[in-house]
Amino acid sequence: MFKKEFYKFKDVYLLLVVLITSFLAYLAFSLKNMVQNFGALDTNLSFLFKKKFTFFHLDDMNLVFAFVIAVFVFFHERINGRLRLSLHFPHSSARNIGFIIMCGLLFVFFVYFVEIILLNIILGAVYAKEIMYVLNYSLAFNYVFGFLLYIFCCGFIIEPVKKRAIVNFIVMLGSIYLYYEINPDIYAFDSFYANDFGFYYMGIVALYALSAAFIAFDNYKRGYIK
């Protein structure tokens, strides 16, 4: 069954993994050139005093990745209507809903997990421990928001009540805008710790996204259409 879920998004998943890998390779290549041209010490100092660092849109790609996988997972569910059919089987709706959500989410988590390990190897070879803390904090914020975007997709793809779906979509767009205000790329920070309160914002977004997902699945399995 897990394998069957993977086939929903296998092709796009592999394509996006290749794209993320290319972003990682470009970041590693750019950092290598910078160290060769200026040395490791100047590279660290330019980070500290000029905020001369960028993820080269790898963080944006992470959000696109989670969003696209969610779209494939949940649109497939809407098309085949498996959750409604499952009401006639012995498995509980909660179990089926959990499986629908968690399968794709685990694949997203796996890519994020491998990515942060590789980034710590690549960047940690050059940057000091204090700088790595700033980078890892920004990445953690990015990954958590990626998971939330995934959950948000339930609220407008699964939700059969059109008004609710539209509102959830608008709230998601607003959340994305605020995310980039709170956690832009490193070079755009006013200060390195300007996003320290960001996880409080994440908590609010998580409450809304999870509530919207719960209501969406509940309305969907009941067959509401408005």
Side-chain angles (χ1 to χ4, degrees):
M1 197 171 178
F2 194 80
K3 188 176 181 180
K4 185 183 289 187
E5 285 291 314
F6 178 58
Y7 279 121
K8 287 183 184 179
F9 53 86
K10 181 187 72 171
D11 293 338
V12 71
Y13 182 82
L14 296 175
L15 173 62
L16 291 171
V17 167
V18 170
L19 286 174
I20 288 174
T21 303
S22 67
F23 276 63
L24 277 168
Y26 186 78
L27 177 60
F29 180 76
S30 299
L31 182 62
K32 180 181 178 182
N33 279 346
M34 193 171 182
V35 172
Q36 286 178 342
N37 292 332
F38 303 105
L41 178 60
D42 283 349
T43 300
N44 277 266
L45 291 175
S46 67
F47 185 102
L48 290 171
F49 295 112
K50 299 179 181 179
K51 296 194 289 291
K52 194 172 181 181
F53 180 88
T54 176
F55 285 112
F56 294 107
H57 298 291
L58 176 63
D59 49 347
D60 300 327
M61 189 64 216
N62 288 334
L63 301 184
V64 170
F65 172 67
F67 179 81
V68 171
I69 297 301
V71 167
F72 272 74
V73 168
F74 296 125
F75 262 127
H76 192 279
E77 170 58 32
R78 282 299 299 269
I79 290 168
N80 66 26
R82 186 187 64 195
L83 180 60
R84 288 174 185 166
L85 291 173
S86 71
L87 295 175
H88 302 285
F89 295 109
H91 298 310
S92 68
S93 294
R95 178 177 174 181
N96 284 302
I97 291 170
F99 195 84
I100 291 166
I101 293 175
M102 292 307 298
C103 181
L105 201 59
L106 285 173
F107 279 94
V108 173
F109 174 81
F110 175 75
V111 171
Y112 284 173
F113 179 72
V114 173
E115 180 187 294
I116 198 166
I117 290 174
L118 291 175
L119 280 172
N120 273 270
I121 292 171
I122 294 167
L123 301 174
V126 175
Y127 288 115
K129 180 175 64 176
E130 293 77 10
I131 292 176
M132 288 305 302
Y133 175 82
V134 173
L135 294 174
N136 280 321
Y137 190 89
S138 181
L139 285 168
F141 199 80
N142 181 242
Y143 297 149
V144 170
F145 193 71
F147 295 141
L148 293 179
L149 278 185
Y150 182 99
I151 300 298
F152 252 121
C153 287
C154 297
F156 69 90
I157 296 176
I158 297 296
E159 177 60 68
V161 181
K162 292 180 180 178
K163 289 182 180 179
R164 282 185 176 277
I166 292 169
V167 169
N168 290 338
F169 183 73
I170 292 171
V171 172
M172 184 189 72
L173 293 180
S175 299
I176 294 171
Y177 173 79
L178 289 175
Y179 165 81
Y180 280 108
E181 288 294 306
I182 295 170
N183 195 55
D185 207 344
I186 299 296
Y187 67 85
F189 273 128
D190 292 330
S191 67
F192 289 130
Y193 299 101
N195 62 347
D196 270 1
F197 65 95
F199 281 103
Y200 295 106
Y201 166 71
M202 285 291 150
I204 296 171
V205 174
L207 285 174
Y208 184 93
L210 290 168
S211 299
F214 177 83
I215 294 170
F217 271 112
D218 188 58
N219 289 339
Y220 172 63
K221 73 180 181 180
R222 294 173 186 271
Y224 290 164
I225 300 175
K226 291 183 182 179

